[in-house]
Amino acid sequence: MDTWKNYICPVCGAWSCTKDRFPTCEFCQNEDVIIIEDEKLHNEIQAYLKSLTRSDFEKYLVLPSYGEIGKDYTELYVATVEYIRQKYVFDDPRFSKTKFNEREHQECARHQEYKTHKKEEIAALREEVYGEPNPYRKVTCPTCGSTNTEKISALSKGVSVGLFGIFSQKVKHQFHCNSCGYEW
Ligand SMILES: [Zn+2]
Ligand SMILES: [Zn+2]
């Protein structure tokens, strides 16, 4: 039976999960990760954290270099990961500050990508349902295939009319290609 396993990497501090039979670190490829079963995690660690006074609990609220507590992560989640890292990572002789930082940067990039992706999905939906302009829409140039295109704004259409009169081609066109200059 396939079950998800949580693991902590003692080299780079990755806290992740996998279904692999032989779990390895997805960030630094360390082959000796520490499996932490969910039950142990929830019952022991979280119960311990909840029993702490507020000021002791806050010592575990170490912000990742990305995301926000209360918005992207709950306090208990952040504290749990920090607790696990203090226990299994920072004192391990294999711990590498360089790999820890590298992983944090990678996770930050992933996080940003995810957020952008979410915004794109919402914008696409609003465009479809309400007909709102979608700043993320990628339109491919029919001439050169570039996606570096933009919608010709009403303002620049107005300028065209003013400069070249009512017969300006631009009025009819909706898109402009920044790569080859084609308009359609
Ligand atoms: Zn690692
Ligand atoms: Zn083009």
Side-chain angles (χ1 to χ4, degrees), residues 28-41:
C28 74
Q29 281 75 51
N30 164 37
E31 296 199 341
D32 203 9
V33 295
I34 299 161
I35 302 295
I36 296 180
E37 298 302 336
D38 267 9
E39 255 196 297
K40 190 183 170 193
L41 174 78

Side-chain angles (χ1 to χ4, degrees), residues 97-108:
K97 288 174 188 169
T98 306
K99 293 207 164 134
F100 185 92
N101 292 341
E102 269 174 24
R103 178 194 49 73
E104 289 266 302
H105 298 154
Q106 271 187 56
E107 291 208 81
C108 182

Side-chain angles (χ1 to χ4, degrees), residues 141-146 177-182 184:
C141 170
T143 305
C144 73
S146 166
C177 174
N178 292 326
S179 297
C180 72
Y182 182 72
W184 69 100

Side-chain angles (χ1 to χ4, degrees), residues 7-14 24-30 33 99 103:
Y7 69 81
I8 186 83
C9 173
V11 178
C12 74
T24 58
C25 177
E26 65 176 304
F27 290 96
C28 74
Q29 281 75 51
N30 164 37
V33 295
K99 293 207 164 134
R103 178 194 49 73

